[in-house]
Amino acid sequence: MINNLFGIYEKALDKNISWKQRLLDAKELGFDFVEISIDETDERLSRLDWNKEEREYLVKSIFETGIKIPTMCFSGHRRFPMGSKNADIRKKAMELMEKAIIFASDVGIRIIQLAGYDVYYEKGDEETKALFIEGLKKSLEMASKYQVMLSIEIMDTPFINSITKFLEYDKICNSPWLTVYPDLGNLTAWGNNVEEEIRKGFGKITAIHIKDTIPPKGDFVGKFKEVPFGEGCVDFVKCFKLLKELNYNGTFMIEMWSEKSQNPKEYVLKEKKWVLEKMKEGGFY
């Protein structure tokens, strides 16, 4: 058995079911928690406006099933980035950030994973970077008020594609409420020395995404999602051995996007089996 809590991404499970059923499905598949998604779609952004009864339903479902939702994947900033040169977009970004922090506080989410983008659909430069830092500092002020951790994910673009780059922002912000959420797939795909990166930032790691990727090469931009485990570039056994050596006790979360497939649970179970075999080789159980 793995001592670490082992979770699954919401988007790996059937999209058209209730939250209670989604948690029950995760339990049936042997997971300890589900990571909720607040992405850039209107549908998922609207969750931040759930009323008291809707939030109570989610909390009740957590207690009734015993499956927690400790983390939020908040990628809504991809559409409304904190580094945008458009003041209205930046205002919207901060409004969403505040709503996300209050939502997390209300339903018991400990960590909000922030996508490490200054901008996504705009062209980035030193101005967008400065605006991102300004927004991040304001976000951390709000997070500290509600005691919710903000954790920057190592992403699929060059802006923050290593733990080394995250540490630059950590030094600038100097906040105990800012941590890093490495994605093993993204970290590997960019050609980082994964061992050096993890050792360098280990004290700031609060959670880890398990995902395979195909690296960028020439005109190929890389593939950072929906790569079946074992078909990408990640040396999972080496990663798990290192994390075991470092006594990593945080969560592991399998990141998949099978919510619209014909049989999400069957696909998740197959991929989970593969991951557990690599974790066993890495000494986790």
Side-chain angles (χ1 to χ4, degrees), residues 115-171:
Y117 305 124
D118 55 345
V119 290
Y120 189 79
Y121 298 110
E122 304 173 38
K123 185 178 180 180
D125 56 25
E126 287 303 311
E127 182 181 355
T128 61
K129 179 179 178 179
L131 290 169
F132 169 77
I133 291 170
E134 180 183 333
L136 183 58
K137 287 180 176 179
K138 291 177 181 177
S139 299
L140 288 164
E141 289 175 4
M142 291 187 284
S144 65
K145 176 180 177 180
Y146 289 95
Q147 296 191 308
V148 174
M149 191 71 70
L150 302 185
S151 199
I152 294 181
E153 184 182 14
I154 305 306
M155 296 306 297
D156 54 352
T157 67
F159 185 67
I160 301 181
N161 61 359
S162 67
I163 294 176
T164 297
K165 286 185 178 179
F166 157 76
L167 290 172
E168 295 175 11
Y169 296 94
D170 181 52
K171 184 177 181 180

Side-chain angles (χ1 to χ4, degrees), residues 243-254:
L243 290 164
K244 184 66 177 178
E245 175 197 329
L246 295 172
N247 194 31
Y248 173 72
N249 292 303
T251 62
F252 288 107
M253 199 280 292
I254 293 180

Side-chain angles (χ1 to χ4, degrees), residues 26 63-64 68 87 103 115 122 124 147 164 166 189 205 240 262:
F63 276 94
E64 289 179 349
K68 298 182 182 300
F103 180 92
E122 304 173 38
Q147 296 191 308
T164 297
F166 157 76
I205 294 174
F240 292 137
Q262 289 187 334

Side-chain angles (χ1 to χ4, degrees), residues 12-13 27 29 35 55 60 70 77 81 126 142 145 158 167-168 178 208 217-218 220 250 252 266 268 277 285:
L13 303 171
K27 186 173 187 176
L29 292 167
E35 182 166 277
R55 296 178 190 220
K60 185 178 179 182
H77 278 161
E126 287 303 311
M142 291 187 284
K145 176 180 177 180
L167 290 172
E168 295 175 11
L178 182 63
I208 287 178
K217 185 177 181 181
F220 177 58
F252 288 107
E266 182 179 308
V268 168
E277 287 175 356
Y285 71 101

Side-chain angles (χ1 to χ4, degrees), residues 30-70:
F31 292 101
D32 301 302
F33 70 91
V34 172
E35 182 166 277
I36 191 172
S37 169
I38 306 294
D39 63 20
E40 61 186 303
T41 63
D42 289 337
E43 177 186 2
R44 285 191 162 111
L45 285 174
S46 69
R47 292 172 170 177
L48 300 182
D49 294 313
W50 277 356
N51 60 32
K52 179 182 176 181
E53 288 71 26
E54 289 170 311
R55 296 178 190 220
E56 284 180 342
Y57 163 75
L58 186 61
V59 173
K60 185 178 179 182
S61 297
I62 291 168
F63 276 94
E64 289 179 349
T65 62
I67 301 298
K68 298 182 182 300
I69 305 178

